[in-house]
Amino acid sequence: MTCEELRRILEEEGTASSEPARAHLAGCPACAGEAERWAAVLVALRELGQEPAPPFLHARIMAHVRTEAAPRRERRWHLLRGWRAPALAAAGAAVVILGLGLYQAVHPPVAEVNKVARAVTQDVEVVPGGQRPPASSAPSVAAAPMAPSESESSGPLRHELEADVREARAKKVIASKAGSLAEDAERRGASTADAVAASGPAPAPARAATRRERAATSPSLDETHPPPLAGLLRSAETAGKGSDLVRCRLQVEGEDEAVELLLPAGQAPPADEVWLVTVHADGQLDLRDSQGERQLAPLVLQQSIGQQRQIRSGRYRLSQAPVPPTP
Amino acid sequence: MPWWTSARGSALEQEGEVVERLRGRDEAAFEQLVGEHEREVFGLARRMLGDHEEALDATQETFLRAFRGLPSFRGQASLRTWLYGITLNVCRNRLTSAHARSRKITQPLVLVDETGAQQPVPVPDTAPDPEQTAYGRELRSALEHALAALSFEHREIVLLRDVQGLDYGEIAAVLGCALGTVKSRLGRARGALREALKEVWP
């Protein structure tokens, strides 16, 4: 075996343990030294792999995973946003109306059942932003009257949690009215309109309760706490190179309070965008760009929010400084 | 355990159960996965990227991608090799993107309290073991530089084999190549490492 062959074996295998190799090493000090050095290098390389991960890494990963998992639970409700919510409600109502129509065919009186159908349609007709479903998509529902007070007051309630509650309530109301009211009309001969009134169509107090629930479950600024941005971990503005960093502004949503911080250029919002930062009560951080797409939070923000808990839970607006005008 | 049931077979069965739980988005199972592999993933990312902060982000991104990709994980590879594959893809993307080039935070961070006074920032302790010998420190430092000087392909295969300790079959699964390719590429990579170590190893 030649020196060249032995060194090729050392590079490929890391060791040379065959009989010819050992015979060569026994008679060649240079190659024996090379083998010793390879052994030392391999030990040192293996030690590189024994370094522990930073202690905060686990919590940081899991915080993001939980944040990642959360929208998946919400995602199914995205189907109920915008035009889909009234369209689905209208489809549900249409099914109920058809069912009631069939029921009516064999169980008069007709007038009683039509009242039920109108009442049910009114209840599920309340749509986000006070919009009514297009007549082409749901003619039977569009033809039904709307409750004016509901449609006018629902503008600011265009929120996904509202959609959840509304959908759930609409399903429940449809089911309960289609079943129990029709049965009432049949069995007891009582006035269907009375039964509708007794069950309480689209109660305003329930909507107020929904707002309270949302306020209790969503991140909010608690007035008993110190100012939300107090103690924010931020980059020094004077030291080091500034070319790779972008001056950003983190502002409490709906308030004037804000702080500037420097973020790596690749992780800062573009100049014309405002990103939404949601800090949850448990320190989890959710960063969304203007399209609603999740963004990985820059380390500076994570350290200041996720690890150091320097920022209170709530919603913040992140943009490059100065803040672009709000449309 | 019956004599015909190998320890490897048992481990695969256990991993199969874990995979089923992971596919069902069992958070406890995923946390266990993170706990078992975060050190390896971070270590690989740390050496591939040569930057502590980048490696933190890459590790986080790796596990997020894994979490998103779990429904499509069919178990052809082990979870470990699957995670390594994701890690290397994440590292490759970071190294080739403009994002990575502008990523370094060169300014010191200060913690400003409510009175405006600066407070020291807690920094994770990543200092090497002080009990290392001078030779060990020198060799380690030289290795860090030598690894950084290797091409991506050479660095990844040296790290997988000599730092992470994967066998040839596992490396082939991670890199998606044949066993023979692994062997020859590893030989070339070690040769390049040997060349890069010339300063401390003439």
Side-chain angles (χ1 to χ4, degrees), chain A residues 93-151:
Chain A
V95 168
V96 171
I97 292 168
L98 284 174
L100 291 174
L102 288 173
Y103 181 86
Q104 167 206 336
V106 291
H107 294 86
V110 174
E112 296 285 343
V113 178
N114 277 345
K115 283 182 185 174
V116 175
R118 275 198 297 274
V120 170
T121 309
Q122 280 182 357
D123 192 76
V124 299
E125 178 75 354
V126 180
V127 298
Q131 295 175 355
R132 299 174 62 170
S136 58
S137 65
S140 62
V141 174
M146 282 185 65
S149 60
E150 291 287 351
S151 63

Side-chain angles (χ1 to χ4, degrees), chain A residues 35-67:
Chain A
E36 277 183 21
R37 284 189 284 266
W38 263 119
V41 164
L42 292 179
V43 168
L45 283 170
R46 184 56 61 92
E47 285 175 355
L48 286 181
Q50 304 303 316
E51 288 179 14
F56 59 84
L57 181 60
H58 185 89
R60 175 174 155 179
I61 292 169
M62 288 311 298
H64 277 75
V65 166
R66 290 186 184 109
T67 308

Side-chain angles (χ1 to χ4, degrees), chain A residues 201-217:
Chain A
R207 195 170 293 281
T210 303
R211 286 195 206 102
R212 282 195 298 276
E213 285 171 16
R214 194 176 71 239
T217 54

